[in-house]
Amino acid sequence: MFQGKANTWCSTVVLMFLILITAFITVSGNSLNTDREILLNLKSFLENQNRVNRGRYSGWNRWTSNPCEWHGIMCSPDMERVTGINLSDSKISGEMFNNFSALTQLHHLDFSRNTLKGLIPDDLNRCHNLVYLNLSHNILGGELKLTGLARLEKLDLSTNRFHGEVKFSFPAICNRLVVANLSMNNFIGRIDTFFDGCLNLMYLDLSSNKFTGNIWTGFSRLVEFSVSENRVSGLIPASSFSDNCNLKGLDLSVNMFHGEIPREISNCKKLVMLNLWGNKFSGPIPSELGSISTLEGLLLGNNEFSRVIPESLLYLNNLAVLDLSYNNFGGRLQEIFGRFRQLKSLVLQGNSYIDGLSSSGIHKLTNISRLDLSYNNFSGHLPAEFSEMVGLKFLILAYNQFTGPIPPQYGDLSQLQVLDLSFNRLIRSIPPSIGSLRSLLWLMLANNSLTGEIPGELGNCSSLLWLNLANNQLSGRFPPELANIGRNPTLTFESNRRSNVMIAGPSDCLVTKRLLTMDYSPFGFIYTILTRKICKNVWDQLLQGYGFFQVCVKGSPVRKYRVSGYLQLIGNQLTGEVPSDIGKMQHFSVLHLSYNQFNGELPVEIGNLPLVVLNISWNKFSGQIPREIGNLNCLQNLDLSHNNFSGIFPTNLNCLNELSKFNISFNPQIAGQIPNIGQLATFEEESYLGNPLLHSRLLKLQDPTVPPLNSGKQALPGEEESEDGFWWKALLMEYGCGMAFGMVMLCICVVKVQPKWVVNKVEGLHQLKAVRPWKKNGSRGGGRII
C-alpha cells in the first residue's frame, strides 16, 4: 500500500515537472515573439518619422521572421530573447521610441550618430537590465534624469543638447558605472561631489560643457579624466593626487584654474598625457614631472609659467609632444629646447621670442615631425639648417619678422606636408626646389614681399591641395604647370592613415582654423562652435583624405566624401591669360585670383571645376563671360566685378541655386537683361553697378552708371583711401542711340558715389564689400531659390 502511494507521488512529481518544462518552453517562445512584436512596433515608429532615407531597419521581417537575424539586433546565446539593439548611424530622426522597457532582457542600446531630438522618455528608466547606453551625436535635450539604470556600466551621451545639472542622475546610476561620457553638451553646475559614489568609475569625460565651481578631488582614482573647455576654477589641491594615483590621462585644459601645479602630481606614475593648456597656472614648471617616466604628452600652453624649463624633462625618454605656447616667454629661445632629442612635436607659438634661430640648436631635433614657432618676434634669415630635420612634416613659422629669401634647401624635406611661412618679410623668388616636395599638402607664403614668377616646378607637388601666395609682389604669367598641383595626393593620405595619431592640443586647433580659412570653407563640416574635439576630427579627416565636401554633379550638389583644395593668388602683379589647363584642377573648390592684372578671355574649362568660390575681381579679363560657369552647381560665391567683360550676359547663371554672393559690377560693356525671377533676382543693385547696358526692372538706379575714370593707379589690397568718407566725381559721357527715324545724340552728366572698398584680410582670402551711405548689405543675395 505504501509502495503504491509512493509510486503515485512520484508520478505526480514527474507530471508537474513536465508541465513546468512545457510551460517554460511556451513562455520562452512567447517572449521571443513578444520581443519580435515590440521590434516591429519600433520599425513602424521609425518609418513614420522617417519617410525617406530610411536605414537598414526597414528590412526587418522582410526576408526572415526571426528577429535574431535582423540587422542591428542582438540576442541571448540560446537565441530566445532580444538583448541588444544597435542602430547607430542609421539616418534616424525625430523623437525616441517610448517602449524599450517592454524588451525586458535589453542589455545594449545604441542609437548614436543619428538626429534624434526631444527628451529621453521616462520609459528608458524602466530598462532595469540595461548595461550599455549610447545616444551620442544626436540633438537630444532637456535635463538628464536616468535614475532607474542601476546596472549601467557604459554611458555615452556626448554631442547632444542636454542641459541642467547632473545631480538628477549621479550618483543614482553610479553603482556599476565604469565609463561615462557627457562631453559636448550644455550641462551646468558643480561637479565636486556627484561622482564620489561612483566607485567603479574609470573613465569620465565632462569636456565642452558649462560646469562651474571647483574640481572634483577624487579624479586620481580614475584612469582618464577630462573636464576641458568648461568654467571650472580655483586651485588644484595637492590632496587630489593620492599616493595610489591611477591616472593615465588628465585633461583640465581651457578652464579658469590658477595657482601652481602641485608637486604631488608626480604620484601619478602611470600618467601618459597631461593637458593643462588654457588656464592661469603660474609659477615654475614642477621639476617633479621629470620623474613620470611614462609621460608622452605635456601640454602647458596658454598659462603664465616662468620661462625656466626644468632639466629633468630632458630625461623623459617617452616624451613626444611638448606644448609651451602662449606663456609670454620673452628674450631668445631657450637653449634647452635644442636638447629635447626625443621630441616629435614642439609647439612654442604665441610667445614673445626675439632674434634669430641659427644659434638655438633647435635644428638638431632630428626626430621631430612638427615644429610650430608662429606668432613670435623671431627675426633674421630662415635657418637653412632646418633641412637637417629630415623627419619634419609640419614646419610653421608664420607671423614673425623673418627676412631674406626662402632657403632652397627646404626642398630637401621630402616628408614635409605643411610649410607655412606667411606673414613675414621674406623677399626674392620662390625656390623652384619646393617643387620636389611630393608630400606637401599646404604651402602658405602669403603676406610677404616675394617677387619674380611663380615657378612652374610647383606643378610637380602632386599632393599640394592648399596653396596661398596672396599679397606678395609676384609677377609674370599663370604657369600652365601650376594646374597640375594636387593631382594625386593619395600616397600622402595613405601614409597618414598608416601612421600613429599624434596627441593634439588646442594650439593645433588654432593652426587648423587658420590653414582651412573657415570663412570661405568649401568643406561640408562647418561648425559655429569649433571645439577641440571637432577641430581635431576635422584635421585628422583632412590629413587622411576624408574631407566631407559638396561635390558638383550634373543637376544638383550631392554630398560625397572627398577633399577639396584652394588656390589663392590675390594681391599680386600677375599678368597674361589664365591657361585652359586650369580645367585639370579637379580637386579644387576655391579659386581666388582677384587684384592682379590678368587679361584675355576666361577659359571655358573653368566650368569643369567643382568650385564653391570663384573670385576674379579687379583684373582685366575681357570677352564674354563663359556660359559654362552656369554649370557650377555648387557655386556659392561668384565675383566677376571690375573687369572688361563684354557681350550678352549669360542668363543661365540664374540656375546657380546655391549662389549666396554675386558681383558683376563695373563691367560696362556687358549687355542684356537680368532675369526678374530666380536666384539672380535675390541680389541687390550693388551687384550690378557700373553696367549701363545691363537692364532689369528690379534695379532702382535712376541714371545709367559707368565705371570711374582710371586715375593711373589701382588700389591694392590693404591700401586705405587718402581721405575719409565718400567723395564725388562728375563723369560726362556721350553715347548714341540708333533708332529707326534717325540718330539722337544725348549728353548725360552722371554723378555717382564712388564706393570705398574695404579689404578684410582673412589669411589671404579677401572679403570685399562696398561701404555706401544708403546700403549696408553690399551684394549679398537674399535667399536660395529652388
Side-chain angles (χ1 to χ4, degrees):
M1 181 178 178
F2 177 78
Q3 184 177 2
K5 289 183 177 180
N7 290 336
T8 302
W9 181 81
C10 288
S11 299
T12 303
V13 170
V14 171
L15 181 60
M16 293 179 63
F17 179 75
L18 292 174
I19 292 173
L20 289 172
I21 290 294
T22 303
F24 177 77
I25 293 174
T26 303
V27 170
S28 297
N30 288 339
S31 295
L32 186 59
N33 287 334
T34 300
D35 291 348
R36 177 178 175 276
E37 293 302 318
I38 298 301
L39 291 177
L40 290 177
N41 290 339
L42 171 61
K43 174 187 175 183
S44 298
F45 176 83
L46 296 177
E47 288 180 338
N48 287 336
Q49 294 193 119
N50 301 268
R51 302 288 183 178
V52 294
N53 296 327
R54 291 170 175 168
R56 294 178 65 181
Y57 60 84
S58 61
W60 288 357
N61 204 40
R62 184 176 300 171
W63 296 283
T64 175
S65 61
N66 183 358
C68 298
E69 298 178 8
W70 294 352
H71 170 77
I73 301 302
M74 294 168 272
C75 288
S76 57
D78 56 12
M79 306 295 285
E80 292 183 350
R81 294 302 306 272
V82 171
T83 59
I85 303 175
N86 184 352
L87 290 179
S88 62
D89 199 12
S90 295
K91 304 176 183 178
I92 298 172
S93 60
E95 297 183 348
M96 283 189 66
F97 184 57
N98 198 26
N99 196 24
F100 285 116
S101 63
L103 299 170
T104 56
Q105 293 300 311
L106 190 64
H107 296 165
H108 183 111
L109 186 60
D110 189 342
F111 273 74
S112 61
R113 298 188 181 278
N114 288 290
T115 50
L116 293 172
K117 65 180 180 179
L119 306 177
I120 293 180
D122 292 336
D123 169 77
L124 199 63
N125 277 315
R126 293 188 284 274
C127 297
H128 301 301
N129 290 316
L130 205 59
V131 174
Y132 178 97
L133 177 60
N134 189 348
L135 300 176
S136 64
H137 295 271
N138 282 284
I139 51 175
L140 295 165
E143 291 186 323
L144 190 63
K145 297 181 180 180
L146 300 177
T147 55
L149 306 181
R151 297 187 180 182
L152 202 61
E153 295 179 7
K154 295 182 180 180
L155 173 66
D156 190 348
L157 301 178
S158 61
T159 317
N160 277 286
R161 298 177 181 177
F162 294 112
H163 61 262
E165 299 189 44
V166 297
K167 64 182 180 182
F168 301 110
S169 300
F170 297 91
I173 60 173
C174 272
N175 190 31
R176 299 184 180 182
L177 200 63
V178 177
V179 178
N181 188 346
L182 306 180
S183 64
M184 294 181 67
N185 281 283
N186 294 307
F187 290 116
I188 62 172
R190 305 178 69 89
I191 61 170
D192 48 358
T193 59
F194 301 125
F195 302 99
D196 289 338
C198 302
L199 300 181
N200 294 307
L201 195 62
M202 299 179 67
Y203 302 89
L204 178 60
D205 190 345
L206 304 177
S207 62
S208 302
N209 280 286
K210 299 176 182 178
F211 289 117
T212 55
N214 296 325
I215 190 71
W216 173 50
T217 57
F219 63 79
S220 65
R221 70 167 183 253
L222 305 178
V223 175
E224 292 183 9
F225 175 62
S226 175
V227 70
S228 69
E229 295 183 295
N230 279 282
R231 302 170 184 173
V232 186
S233 59
L235 301 170
I236 306 297
S239 59
S240 300
F241 302 102
S242 58
D243 293 338
N244 59 347
C245 176
N246 201 36
L247 280 172
K248 290 185 178 180
L250 177 60
D251 189 349
L252 307 181
S253 62
V254 193
N255 280 283
M256 296 185 285
F257 296 115
H258 63 269
E260 297 188 4
I261 302 175
R263 301 181 185 277
E264 287 77 4
I265 195 173
S266 61
N267 291 333
C268 301
K269 299 299 183 183
K270 303 176 182 178
L271 197 61
V272 175
M273 193 278 293
L274 175 62
N275 190 350
L276 304 180
W277 200 97
N279 285 282
K280 296 181 180 180
F281 289 114
S282 58
I285 298 171
S287 60
E288 287 79 2
L289 288 172
S291 66
I292 308 176
S293 60
T294 55
L295 202 59
E296 296 179 11
L298 182 58
L299 287 73
L300 305 179
N302 203 3
N303 282 287
E304 300 171 3
F305 291 113
S306 60
R307 74 187 307 273
V308 177
I309 311 301
E311 292 271 338
S312 61
L313 300 185
L314 294 171
Y315 304 105
L316 295 173
N317 294 328
N318 293 310
L319 189 64
V321 177
L322 179 59
D323 186 341
L324 291 169
S325 58
Y326 294 98
N327 271 286
N328 201 31
F329 293 158
R332 292 190 172 186
L333 187 66
Q334 296 96 313
E335 174 271 338
I336 191 174
F337 287 120
R339 296 156 58 195
F340 278 98
R341 305 296 173 83
Q342 74 275 41
L343 285 182
K344 294 182 179 179
S345 174
L346 176 60
V347 181
L348 298 174
Q349 68 170 258
N351 283 290
S352 300
Y353 290 119
I354 60 172
D355 293 342
L357 294 172
S358 298
S359 61
S360 66
I362 203 169
H363 63 278
K364 298 177 182 178
L365 305 181
T366 54
N367 290 322
I368 205 160
S369 64
R370 177 171 56 191
L371 179 62
D372 187 350
L373 304 179
S374 59
Y375 293 94
N376 280 283
N377 293 310
F378 290 116
S379 58
H381 286 205
L382 293 171
E385 294 85 354
F386 278 180
S387 61
E388 300 172 12
M389 305 162 78
V390 292
L392 203 59
K393 292 184 177 181
F394 306 92
L395 178 57
I396 305 173
L397 305 176
Y399 288 91
N400 280 286
Q401 299 178 35
F402 290 114
T403 56
I406 299 172
Q409 293 88 338
Y410 287 5
D412 297 333
L413 295 169
S414 60
Q415 298 187 47
L416 201 63
Q417 296 186 22
V418 175
L419 178 59
D420 188 355
L421 307 178
S422 55
F423 289 88
N424 279 285
R425 301 175 181 177
L426 303 176
I427 59 173
R428 298 184 189 172
S429 60
I430 300 172
S433 60
I434 300 297
S436 302
L437 302 177
R438 300 295 193 272
S439 297
L440 194 65
L441 291 169
W442 273 271
L443 178 58
M444 316 291 285
L445 304 179
N447 291 81
N448 281 286
S449 298
L450 299 173
T451 57
E453 297 187 356
I454 299 175
E457 287 82 356
L458 289 185
N460 296 325
C461 297
S462 55
S463 298
L464 185 57
L465 288 172
W466 294 279
L467 175 59
N468 191 345
L469 305 180
N471 297 320
N472 281 284
Q473 300 171 28
L474 298 171
S475 58
R477 63 192 181 112
F478 185 121
E481 300 87 347
L482 193 64
N484 293 322
I485 62 173
R487 65 186 180 277
N488 185 20
T490 304
L491 293 178
T492 302
F493 290 146
E494 289 179 348
S495 174
N496 289 337
R497 293 168 195 167
R498 292 191 299 266
S499 62
N500 294 327
V501 178
M502 190 176 295
I503 297 173
S507 297
D508 302 305
C509 194
L510 298 176
V511 172
T512 301
K513 288 190 286 187
R514 189 162 58 81
L515 293 182
L516 295 187
T517 55
M518 301 301 275
D519 287 344
Y520 274 99
S521 178
F523 312 102
F525 36 67
I526 301 301
Y527 298 91
T528 303
I529 300 176
L530 199 66
T531 65
R532 198 182 83 215
K533 286 186 177 180
I534 293 175
C535 187
K536 183 182 184 303
N537 182 55
V538 169
W539 182 242
D540 289 344
Q541 279 190 323
L542 286 172
L543 287 178
Q544 297 176 28
Y546 295 131
F548 195 52
F549 159 62
Q550 279 191 331
V551 180
C552 287
V553 297
K554 188 175 181 180
S556 63
V558 174
R559 290 190 180 277
K560 292 183 180 179
Y561 284 101
R562 178 174 166 182
V563 292
S564 62
Y566 57 63
L567 174 62
Q568 302 180 52
L569 303 179
I570 316 159
N572 282 284
Q573 301 168 17
L574 300 170
T575 59
E577 296 185 355
V578 173
S580 59
D581 300 71
I582 200 168
K584 300 177 182 178
M585 305 181 75
Q586 291 299 310
H587 291 113
F588 288 77
S589 60
V590 173
L591 186 59
H592 242 284
L593 307 181
S594 61
Y595 280 92
N596 280 283
Q597 299 178 39
F598 289 117
N599 56 52
E601 295 187 356
L602 191 64
V604 297
E605 288 80 4
I606 206 165
N608 299 329
L609 304 183
L611 291 178
V612 175
V613 175
L614 174 59
N615 191 332
I616 59 170
S617 61
W618 292 93
N619 279 283
K620 298 178 181 179
F621 287 108
S622 59
Q624 290 194 333
I625 297 173
R627 289 183 54 84
E628 287 75 8
I629 293 178
N631 299 329
L632 302 177
N633 298 313
C634 291
L635 199 62
Q636 298 176 13
N637 186 333
L638 176 60
D639 194 340
L640 309 176
S641 64
H642 293 272
N643 280 286
N644 297 317
F645 286 114
S646 60
I648 302 300
F649 177 79
T651 55
N652 68 328
L653 299 185
N654 205 34
C655 298
L656 299 176
N657 295 328
E658 299 288 321
L659 204 61
S660 60
K661 297 180 181 179
F662 176 67
N663 195 345
I664 198 177
S665 62
F666 300 104
N667 284 278
Q669 299 181 57
I670 293 179
Q673 185 80 19
I674 300 298
N676 295 329
I677 60 173
Q679 193 68 17
L680 296 180
T682 67
F683 298 99
E684 299 185 17
E685 58 192 49
E686 283 87 345
S687 295
Y688 306 102
L689 288 175
N691 301 317
L693 305 180
L694 198 58
H695 305 287
S696 171
R697 66 180 180 85
L698 298 174
L699 298 182
K700 301 177 181 179
L701 297 177
Q702 297 178 354
D703 298 308
T705 310
V706 295
L709 293 173
N710 189 353
S711 63
K713 181 179 184 295
Q714 179 177 314
L716 291 175
E719 291 186 356
E720 298 182 354
E721 297 284 347
S722 59
E723 56 187 55
D724 296 331
F726 296 93
W727 47 279
W728 297 78
K729 286 185 179 180
L731 298 177
L732 189 63
M733 181 180 72
E734 292 186 355
Y735 65 92
C737 296
M739 303 180 66
F741 299 98
M743 183 73 70
V744 178
M745 300 301 295
L746 181 64
C747 182
I748 301 174
C749 180
V750 178
V751 180
K752 80 178 188 73
V753 177
Q754 171 67 26
K756 175 181 178 181
W757 289 96
V758 178
V759 180
N760 179 22
K761 290 185 180 180
V762 184
E763 298 301 318
L765 281 174
H766 291 66
Q767 296 172 308
L768 304 179
K769 59 182 180 180
V771 181
R772 293 178 173 275
W774 68 89
K775 291 291 183 183
K776 193 173 182 179
N777 294 326
S779 57
R780 299 177 181 270
R784 177 180 175 183
I785 304 297
I786 303 298

